[in-house]
Coordinates of all heavy atoms in Angstrom, one line a residue:
M1 N -21.4 9.2 2.0 CA -20.9 8.2 1.1 C -19.7 8.7 0.3 O -19.7 9.8 -0.1 CB -22.0 7.9 0.0 CG -23.2 7.2 0.6 SD -22.9 5.4 1.0 CE -22.9 4.7 -0.6
L2 N -18.7 7.9 0.3 CA -17.5 8.3 -0.4 C -17.6 7.8 -1.9 O -18.2 6.8 -2.2 CB -16.3 7.7 0.2 CG -16.0 8.1 1.7 CD1 -14.8 7.5 2.2 CD2 -15.9 9.6 1.7
E3 N -16.9 8.5 -2.7 CA -16.8 8.0 -4.1 C -15.9 6.8 -4.2 O -15.1 6.5 -3.4 CB -16.0 9.1 -5.0 CG -16.7 10.4 -5.2 CD -15.8 11.3 -6.1 OE1 -15.1 10.8 -7.0 OE2 -15.7 12.4 -5.7
K4 N -16.2 5.9 -5.2 CA -15.4 4.8 -5.5 C -14.2 5.4 -6.3 O -14.4 6.1 -7.3 CB -16.1 3.8 -6.3 CG -17.0 2.9 -5.5 CD -16.2 1.8 -4.9 CE -17.1 0.8 -4.1 NZ -16.7 0.5 -2.8
R5 N -13.0 5.2 -5.8 CA -11.9 5.7 -6.5 C -10.8 4.6 -6.6 O -10.7 3.8 -5.8 CB -11.3 6.9 -5.7 CG -12.3 8.1 -5.8 CD -11.8 9.2 -4.9 NE -10.6 9.8 -5.5 CZ -10.6 10.9 -6.3 NH1 -11.7 11.4 -6.7 NH2 -9.4 11.4 -6.6
N6 N -10.1 4.8 -7.7 CA -9.0 3.8 -7.9 C -7.6 4.4 -7.7 O -7.5 5.6 -8.0 CB -9.0 3.2 -9.4 CG -10.3 2.4 -9.6 OD1 -10.8 1.8 -8.7 ND2 -10.8 2.5 -10.9
C7 N -6.8 3.7 -7.1 CA -5.4 4.1 -6.9 C -4.8 4.4 -8.3 O -4.8 3.6 -9.2 CB -4.6 3.0 -6.2 SG -2.9 3.5 -6.1
P8 N -4.2 5.7 -8.4 CA -3.6 6.1 -9.7 C -2.3 5.3 -9.9 O -1.7 5.3 -11.1 CB -3.3 7.5 -9.5 CG -3.2 7.7 -8.0 CD -4.1 6.7 -7.4
H9 N -1.8 4.7 -8.9 CA -0.5 3.9 -9.1 C -0.6 2.5 -9.5 O 0.2 1.9 -10.2 CB 0.3 4.0 -7.8 CG 0.6 5.4 -7.4 ND1 1.6 6.1 -8.0 CD2 0.0 6.2 -6.5 CE1 1.6 7.4 -7.4 NE2 0.7 7.5 -6.6
C10 N -1.7 1.8 -9.1 CA -1.9 0.4 -9.4 C -3.3 0.2 -10.0 O -3.5 -1.0 -10.5 CB -1.7 -0.5 -8.2 SG -2.9 -0.1 -6.9
G11 N -4.2 1.1 -9.9 CA -5.5 0.9 -10.4 C -6.5 0.1 -9.6 O -7.7 -0.1 -10.0
Q12 N -6.1 -0.3 -8.5 CA -6.9 -1.1 -7.6 C -7.9 -0.1 -6.9 O -7.6 1.0 -6.5 CB -6.1 -1.8 -6.6 CG -7.1 -2.6 -5.6 CD -6.3 -3.7 -4.8 OE1 -5.6 -4.5 -5.3 NE2 -6.2 -3.4 -3.5
T13 N -9.1 -0.6 -6.7 CA -10.1 0.2 -5.9 C -9.6 0.5 -4.5 O -9.1 -0.4 -3.8 CB -11.4 -0.6 -5.8 OG1 -11.9 -0.9 -7.1 CG2 -12.5 0.3 -5.1
M14 N -9.7 1.7 -4.1 CA -9.2 2.0 -2.8 C -10.2 1.7 -1.7 O -11.4 1.8 -2.0 CB -8.8 3.5 -2.8 CG -7.7 3.8 -3.8 SD -7.3 5.6 -3.9 CE -6.5 5.9 -2.3
N15 N -9.7 1.4 -0.6 CA -10.6 1.1 0.5 C -10.9 2.2 1.5 O -10.0 3.0 1.8 CB -10.0 -0.1 1.4 CG -9.8 -1.4 0.5 OD1 -8.7 -1.8 0.3 ND2 -10.9 -1.9 0.1
E16 N -12.1 2.2 2.0 CA -12.4 3.2 3.0 C -11.7 2.9 4.3 O -11.7 1.7 4.7 CB -13.9 3.3 3.2 CG -14.6 3.8 2.0 CD -16.1 4.0 2.3 OE1 -16.6 3.8 3.4 OE2 -16.9 4.2 1.3
W17 N -11.3 3.8 5.0 CA -10.6 3.5 6.3 C -10.8 4.6 7.2 O -10.6 5.8 6.8 CB -9.1 3.2 6.1 CG -8.4 2.8 7.4 CD1 -8.6 1.6 8.0 CD2 -7.4 3.5 8.0 NE1 -7.8 1.7 9.2 CE2 -7.0 2.8 9.2 CE3 -6.8 4.7 7.8 CZ2 -6.1 3.2 10.1 CZ3 -5.8 5.2 8.7 CH2 -5.5 4.5 9.8
L18 N -11.2 4.3 8.4 CA -11.4 5.4 9.5 C -10.1 5.6 10.2 O -9.5 4.7 10.8 CB -12.5 4.9 10.4 CG -12.9 6.0 11.5 CD1 -13.5 7.2 10.7 CD2 -13.9 5.3 12.4
G19 N -9.6 6.8 10.1 CA -8.3 7.1 10.7 C -8.4 7.1 12.2 O -9.5 7.2 12.8
P20 N -7.3 6.9 12.8 CA -7.3 6.9 14.3 C -7.7 8.2 14.9 O -7.5 9.2 14.2 CB -5.8 6.6 14.7 CG -5.0 6.9 13.5 CD -5.9 6.8 12.3
P21 N -8.3 8.3 16.0 CA -8.9 9.5 16.6 C -7.9 10.6 16.6 O -8.2 11.7 16.3 CB -9.4 9.1 17.9 CG -9.6 7.7 17.9 CD -8.6 7.1 16.9
E22 N -6.7 10.3 17.0 CA -5.7 11.3 17.2 C -5.2 11.9 15.8 O -4.6 13.0 15.8 CB -4.5 10.8 18.0 CG -3.7 9.8 17.3 CD -4.2 8.4 17.6 OE1 -5.4 8.2 17.9 OE2 -3.4 7.4 17.3
S23 N -5.5 11.3 14.7 CA -5.1 11.7 13.5 C -5.9 13.0 13.0 O -5.4 13.7 12.2 CB -5.1 10.6 12.4 OG -6.5 10.4 12.1
G24 N -7.1 13.0 13.4 CA -8.0 14.1 13.0 C -8.5 13.9 11.6 O -9.2 14.8 11.0
W25 N -8.2 12.7 11.0 CA -8.8 12.4 9.6 C -10.2 11.9 9.8 O -10.5 11.3 10.6 CB -7.9 11.4 8.9 CG -6.6 11.7 8.7 CD1 -6.1 13.0 8.6 CD2 -5.4 10.9 8.8 NE1 -4.7 12.9 8.5 CE2 -4.3 11.6 8.5 CE3 -5.3 9.5 9.0 CZ2 -3.0 11.1 8.6 CZ3 -4.1 8.9 9.0 CH2 -2.9 9.7 8.7
G26 N -11.1 11.9 9.1 CA -12.3 11.1 9.2 C -12.1 9.9 8.5 O -11.1 9.2 8.6
M27 N -13.0 9.6 7.6 CA -12.9 8.4 6.8 C -12.0 8.8 5.6 O -12.1 9.9 5.0 CB -14.2 8.1 6.2 CG -14.3 6.7 5.5 SD -14.0 5.3 6.7 CE -15.8 5.2 7.2
I28 N -11.0 8.0 5.4 CA -10.1 8.3 4.2 C -10.1 7.1 3.3 O -10.7 6.1 3.6 CB -8.6 8.6 4.7 CG1 -8.1 7.4 5.5 CG2 -8.6 9.8 5.6 CD1 -6.6 7.5 5.9
L29 N -9.5 7.2 2.2 CA -9.4 6.2 1.2 C -8.0 5.8 1.1 O -7.1 6.6 1.0 CB -9.9 6.7 -0.2 CG -11.3 6.9 -0.3 CD1 -11.7 7.6 -1.7 CD2 -12.2 5.7 -0.1
V30 N -7.7 4.5 1.2 CA -6.3 3.9 1.1 C -6.2 2.8 0.1 O -7.1 2.0 0.0 CB -6.0 3.4 2.6 CG1 -4.5 2.9 2.6 CG2 -6.2 4.4 3.7
C31 N -5.1 2.8 -0.5 CA -4.8 1.7 -1.4 C -4.1 0.6 -0.5 O -3.1 0.8 0.0 CB -3.8 2.1 -2.5 SG -3.2 0.7 -3.4
N32 N -4.7 -0.5 -0.5 CA -4.3 -1.6 0.4 C -3.5 -2.7 -0.3 O -3.3 -3.7 0.1 CB -5.4 -2.3 1.2 CG -5.8 -1.6 2.4 OD1 -4.9 -1.0 3.1 ND2 -7.0 -1.4 2.7
N33 N -3.2 -2.4 -1.6 CA -2.5 -3.4 -2.5 C -1.1 -3.5 -2.1 O -0.3 -2.5 -2.3 CB -2.7 -2.9 -3.9 CG -2.1 -3.9 -4.9 OD1 -1.7 -5.0 -4.5 ND2 -2.2 -3.5 -6.2
N34 N -0.7 -4.6 -1.6 CA 0.7 -4.8 -1.3 C 1.7 -4.8 -2.5 O 2.9 -4.7 -2.4 CB 0.9 -6.1 -0.5 CG 0.4 -6.0 0.9 OD1 0.2 -4.9 1.4 ND2 0.0 -7.2 1.4
E35 N 1.1 -4.9 -3.7 CA 1.9 -4.9 -4.9 C 1.9 -3.5 -5.5 O 2.4 -3.4 -6.6 CB 1.3 -5.9 -5.9 CG 1.3 -7.4 -5.4 CD 2.8 -7.8 -5.1 OE1 3.7 -7.6 -5.9 OE2 3.0 -8.3 -3.9
C36 N 1.3 -2.6 -4.9 CA 1.2 -1.3 -5.5 C 2.6 -0.7 -5.6 O 3.4 -0.8 -4.6 CB 0.4 -0.4 -4.5 SG 0.2 1.3 -5.1
V37 N 2.8 -0.1 -6.7 CA 4.2 0.5 -6.9 C 4.5 1.6 -5.9 O 5.7 1.8 -5.6 CB 4.4 1.0 -8.4 CG1 4.4 -0.1 -9.4 CG2 3.4 2.0 -8.7
F38 N 3.5 2.3 -5.5 CA 3.7 3.3 -4.6 C 4.1 2.8 -3.2 O 5.1 3.2 -2.6 CB 2.4 4.1 -4.4 CG 2.5 5.3 -3.5 CD1 2.8 6.6 -4.0 CD2 2.3 5.3 -2.1 CE1 3.0 7.7 -3.2 CE2 2.5 6.4 -1.3 CZ 2.8 7.6 -1.9
F39 N 3.5 1.7 -2.8 CA 3.8 1.0 -1.6 C 5.2 0.4 -1.6 O 6.0 0.5 -0.8 CB 2.7 -0.1 -1.3 CG 3.0 -0.8 0.1 CD1 3.0 -0.1 1.3 CD2 3.2 -2.1 0.0 CE1 3.2 -0.8 2.5 CE2 3.5 -2.9 1.2 CZ 3.4 -2.2 2.4
K40 N 5.4 -0.3 -2.7 CA 6.7 -1.0 -2.9 C 7.8 0.0 -3.0 O 9.0 -0.3 -2.7 CB 6.7 -1.9 -4.1 CG 5.7 -3.1 -3.9 CD 5.5 -3.9 -5.1 CE 6.7 -4.9 -5.2 NZ 6.4 -6.0 -6.1
G41 N 7.5 1.1 -3.6 CA 8.5 2.1 -3.8 C 8.7 3.1 -2.6 O 9.3 4.2 -2.9
S42 N 8.1 2.8 -1.5 CA 8.2 3.7 -0.4 C 9.7 4.1 -0.2 O 10.6 3.3 -0.1 CB 7.7 3.0 0.9 OG 6.4 2.8 0.8
P43 N 9.9 5.4 -0.1 CA 11.3 5.8 0.0 C 12.0 5.5 1.3 O 13.2 5.4 1.4 CB 11.3 7.4 -0.1 CG 9.8 7.7 0.3 CD 9.0 6.5 -0.1
R44 N 11.3 5.2 2.4 CA 12.0 4.9 3.6 C 11.1 4.1 4.5 O 9.9 4.2 4.4 CB 12.5 6.2 4.3 CG 11.3 7.0 4.8 CD 11.8 8.4 5.2 NE 12.3 9.1 4.1 CZ 12.6 10.4 4.2 NH1 12.7 11.0 5.3 NH2 13.1 11.0 3.1
M45 N 11.7 3.3 5.3 CA 11.0 2.6 6.3 C 11.0 3.3 7.7 O 12.1 3.9 8.0 CB 11.6 1.2 6.5 CG 11.5 0.3 5.3 SD 9.8 -0.1 4.8 CE 10.1 -1.1 3.4
I46 N 10.0 3.2 8.4 CA 10.0 3.7 9.7 C 10.6 2.8 10.6 O 10.1 1.6 10.8 CB 8.6 4.2 10.1 CG1 7.9 5.1 9.1 CG2 8.6 4.8 11.5 CD1 8.7 6.3 8.7
R47 N 11.6 3.2 11.4 CA 12.3 2.2 12.2 C 12.0 2.3 13.7 O 12.4 1.4 14.4 CB 13.8 2.3 11.9 CG 14.2 2.0 10.5 CD 15.6 2.2 10.3 NE 16.0 2.2 8.9 CZ 16.0 1.2 8.1 NH1 15.9 0.0 8.7 NH2 16.3 1.2 6.9
N48 N 11.4 3.3 14.1 CA 11.4 3.5 15.5 C 10.0 3.1 16.2 O 9.8 3.3 17.4 CB 11.7 4.9 15.9 CG 10.8 5.9 15.3 OD1 9.8 5.5 14.7 ND2 10.9 7.2 15.6
T49 N 9.2 2.5 15.4 CA 7.8 2.1 16.0 C 7.9 0.7 16.4 O 8.0 0.3 17.6 CB 6.7 2.4 15.0 OG1 7.0 1.9 13.7 CG2 6.5 3.9 15.0
E50 N 7.9 -0.2 15.4 CA 8.0 -1.6 15.7 C 9.1 -2.2 14.9 O 9.1 -2.2 13.7 CB 6.7 -2.4 15.3 CG 5.5 -1.9 16.1 CD 4.2 -2.2 15.4 OE1 3.9 -1.5 14.4 OE2 3.5 -3.2 15.8
E51 N 10.1 -2.6 15.5 CA 11.3 -3.0 14.9 C 11.0 -4.1 13.9 O 10.3 -5.1 14.2 CB 12.4 -3.5 15.9 CG 13.0 -2.3 16.6 CD 14.0 -2.8 17.6 OE1 14.7 -3.8 17.4 OE2 14.1 -2.1 18.6
E52 N 11.6 -4.1 12.7 CA 11.5 -5.1 11.8 C 10.2 -5.3 11.2 O 9.9 -6.2 10.4 CB 12.1 -6.5 12.3 CG 13.5 -6.3 12.8 CD 14.1 -7.7 13.0 OE1 13.6 -8.7 12.5 OE2 15.1 -7.7 13.8
S53 N 9.3 -4.5 11.5 CA 8.0 -4.6 10.8 C 8.1 -3.9 9.4 O 8.7 -2.9 9.3 CB 6.8 -4.2 11.6 OG 6.7 -3.0 11.9
P54 N 7.6 -4.5 8.4 CA 7.7 -4.0 7.1 C 6.8 -2.8 6.8 O 5.9 -2.8 6.0 CB 7.4 -5.2 6.2 CG 6.5 -5.9 7.0 CD 6.8 -5.7 8.4
L55 N 7.0 -1.7 7.5 CA 6.1 -0.6 7.3 C 6.5 0.2 6.0 O 7.8 0.4 5.8 CB 6.2 0.3 8.5 CG 5.7 -0.2 9.8 CD1 5.9 0.8 10.9 CD2 4.3 -0.7 9.7
G56 N 5.6 0.6 5.3 CA 5.9 1.4 4.2 C 4.8 2.4 4.0 O 3.8 2.5 4.8
C57 N 4.9 3.2 3.0 CA 3.9 4.3 2.8 C 2.9 3.7 1.8 O 3.2 3.3 0.7 CB 4.6 5.5 2.2 SG 5.8 6.2 3.3
R58 N 1.7 3.8 2.2 CA 0.6 3.5 1.2 C -0.1 4.8 0.7 O 0.0 5.8 1.4 CB -0.5 2.7 2.0 CG 0.0 1.3 2.4 CD -1.2 0.5 3.0 NE -0.8 -0.7 3.5 CZ -0.5 -1.8 2.7 NH1 -0.8 -1.8 1.4 NH2 -0.2 -3.0 3.3
Y59 N -0.5 4.7 -0.5 CA -1.2 5.8 -1.1 C -2.5 6.0 -0.5 O -3.3 5.1 -0.4 CB -1.3 5.6 -2.7 CG -2.0 6.7 -3.3 CD1 -1.3 7.9 -3.7 CD2 -3.3 6.6 -3.7 CE1 -1.9 9.0 -4.3 CE2 -4.0 7.7 -4.3 CZ -3.3 8.8 -4.6 OH -3.9 9.9 -5.2
A60 N -2.9 7.2 -0.1 CA -4.1 7.5 0.5 C -4.7 8.9 0.0 O -3.9 9.7 -0.5 CB -4.0 7.5 2.0
E61 N -6.0 9.0 0.1 CA -6.6 10.3 -0.3 C -7.5 10.8 0.9 O -8.1 9.9 1.5 CB -7.4 10.2 -1.6 CG -6.4 9.9 -2.8 CD -7.2 9.8 -4.1 OE1 -8.4 9.7 -4.1 OE2 -6.6 9.8 -5.1
D62 N -7.7 12.0 1.0 CA -8.5 12.6 2.1 C -9.7 13.2 1.5 O -9.7 14.3 1.0 CB -7.7 13.6 2.9 CG -8.5 14.1 4.1 OD1 -9.7 13.8 4.3 OD2 -7.9 14.9 4.8
P63 N -10.8 12.5 1.6 CA -12.1 13.0 1.0 C -12.5 14.3 1.6 O -13.2 15.1 0.9 CB -13.1 11.9 1.3 CG -12.4 10.7 1.7 CD -11.0 11.2 2.2
D64 N -12.1 14.6 2.8 CA -12.5 15.9 3.5 C -11.7 17.0 2.9 O -11.9 18.2 3.3 CB -12.4 15.8 5.0 CG -13.4 14.9 5.6 OD1 -14.4 14.6 5.0 OD2 -13.1 14.3 6.7
N65 N -10.8 16.7 2.1 CA -9.9 17.7 1.6 C -9.7 17.6 0.1 O -8.6 17.6 -0.4 CB -8.5 17.7 2.3 CG -7.7 18.9 2.2 OD1 -8.2 20.0 1.9 ND2 -6.4 18.8 2.6
N66 N -10.8 17.5 -0.5 CA -10.9 17.4 -2.0 C -10.0 16.3 -2.5 O -9.4 16.3 -3.5 CB -10.4 18.7 -2.7 CG -11.4 19.8 -2.6 OD1 -12.6 19.5 -2.8 ND2 -10.9 21.0 -2.3
Y67 N -10.0 15.2 -1.8 CA -9.3 14.0 -2.2 C -7.8 14.2 -2.5 O -7.2 13.7 -3.3 CB -9.9 13.3 -3.4 CG -11.3 12.8 -3.1 CD1 -12.4 13.5 -3.3 CD2 -11.4 11.4 -2.6 CE1 -13.7 13.0 -3.0 CE2 -12.7 11.0 -2.3 CZ -13.8 11.7 -2.5 OH -15.0 11.2 -2.2
T68 N -7.3 15.1 -1.6 CA -5.8 15.3 -1.7 C -5.1 14.1 -1.3 O -5.3 13.5 -0.3 CB -5.5 16.4 -0.7 OG1 -6.2 17.6 -0.9 CG2 -4.0 16.8 -0.7
P69 N -4.1 13.7 -2.2 CA -3.4 12.5 -1.9 C -2.4 12.7 -0.8 O -1.8 13.8 -0.7 CB -2.6 12.3 -3.3 CG -3.1 13.2 -4.2 CD -3.8 14.3 -3.5
F70 N -2.1 11.7 0.0 CA -1.0 11.8 0.9 C -0.5 10.4 1.1 O -1.0 9.4 0.6 CB -1.4 12.4 2.2 CG -2.5 11.7 3.0 CD1 -2.1 10.9 4.1 CD2 -3.8 11.8 2.7 CE1 -3.1 10.2 4.9 CE2 -4.8 11.1 3.4 CZ -4.4 10.3 4.5
S71 N 0.5 10.3 1.9 CA 1.2 9.0 2.2 C 0.9 8.6 3.5 O 1.0 9.3 4.5 CB 2.7 9.1 2.0 OG 3.0 9.5 0.7
L72 N 0.5 7.3 3.7 CA 0.1 6.8 5.0 C 1.1 5.7 5.4 O 1.3 4.8 4.6 CB -1.3 6.1 4.9 CG -1.9 5.7 6.2 CD1 -2.5 6.9 6.9 CD2 -3.1 4.8 5.9
V73 N 1.7 5.8 6.5 CA 2.7 4.8 7.0 C 1.9 3.7 7.6 O 1.3 3.9 8.7 CB 3.7 5.4 7.9 CG1 4.6 4.3 8.5 CG2 4.5 6.5 7.3
A74 N 1.9 2.6 7.0 CA 1.2 1.4 7.5 C -0.1 1.9 8.1 O -0.9 2.7 7.5 CB 2.0 0.7 8.6
W75 N -0.4 1.7 9.4 CA -1.5 2.2 10.0 C -1.2 3.3 11.1 O -1.9 3.4 12.0 CB -2.5 1.2 10.6 CG -2.7 0.1 9.6 CD1 -2.5 -1.2 9.6 CD2 -3.4 0.3 8.3 NE1 -2.9 -1.8 8.5 CE2 -3.5 -1.0 7.7 CE3 -4.0 1.4 7.6 CZ2 -4.1 -1.2 6.4 CZ3 -4.5 1.2 6.4 CH2 -4.5 0.0 5.8
H76 N -0.1 3.9 10.9 CA 0.3 4.8 12.0 C 0.0 6.2 11.7 O -0.5 7.0 12.5 CB 1.8 4.6 12.3 CG 2.0 3.5 13.2 ND1 2.0 3.7 14.6 CD2 2.2 2.2 13.0 CE1 2.2 2.5 15.2 NE2 2.3 1.6 14.3
G77 N 0.6 6.8 10.6 CA 0.4 8.2 10.4 C 1.0 8.5 9.1 O 1.3 7.6 8.3
A78 N 1.1 9.8 8.8 CA 1.5 10.2 7.5 C 3.1 10.1 7.4 O 3.8 10.3 8.3 CB 1.1 11.6 7.2
C79 N 3.5 9.8 6.2 CA 4.9 9.7 5.9 C 5.5 11.1 6.0 O 4.9 12.1 5.6 CB 5.2 9.2 4.5 SG 5.4 7.5 4.4
R80 N 6.7 11.2 6.4 CA 7.4 12.5 6.5 C 8.4 12.6 5.4 O 9.6 12.3 5.6 CB 8.1 12.6 7.8 CG 7.1 12.7 9.0 CD 7.8 12.9 10.3 NE 6.9 12.7 11.4 CZ 6.8 11.6 12.0 NH1 7.5 10.6 11.7 NH2 5.9 11.4 13.0
D81 N 7.9 12.9 4.3 CA 8.9 13.3 3.3 C 8.3 14.2 2.3 O 8.3 15.4 2.4 CB 9.5 12.1 2.5 CG 8.5 11.2 1.9 OD1 7.4 11.7 1.7 OD2 8.8 10.1 1.7
Ligands
ZN101 ZN1 -2.0 1.5 -5.3

């Protein structure tokens, strides 16, 4: 069971999400709020995956790693910055 946690950027309850097998993450927590300042303020868009899709970085935490925050690019992988 994961804790209920709120996104520190927008206050919305974060959703549990099972990372893709290749990511090596287990269940993680992600802020799915499209209005989240973290998401809207993503420093860069990823351009080489799906052109013109509005990918950005979502705020996420890894419960297996003491809820360490990280950035999740849409549903692909971690932001590189
Ligand atoms: Zn948020």
Side-chain angles (χ1 to χ4, degrees):
M1 290 289 281
L2 299 181
E3 289 178 43
K4 282 278 182 224
R5 292 174 68 91
N6 295 330
C7 173
H9 299 280
C10 66
Q12 180 167 298
T13 305
M14 296 174 72
N15 298 113
E16 294 181 11
W17 183 67
L18 186 61
E22 67 272 20
S23 70
W25 302 326
M27 192 69 83
I28 59 174
L29 293 173
V30 182
C31 172
N32 277 321
N33 181 7
N34 288 335
E35 298 303 310
C36 181
V37 293
F38 186 89
F39 180 65
K40 292 174 80 162
S42 296
R44 67 191 67 173
M45 296 294 183
I46 305 302
R47 298 176 190 280
N48 60 1
T49 47
E50 291 160 288
E51 287 178 31
E52 302 192 23
S53 61
L55 298 180
C57 298
R58 293 187 185 275
Y59 179 80
E61 293 181 349
D62 184 356
D64 290 337
N65 198 11
N66 285 322
Y67 293 91
T68 302
F70 65 101
S71 303
L72 188 75
V73 175
W75 307 120
H76 276 272
C79 266
R80 295 185 190 92
D81 55 22

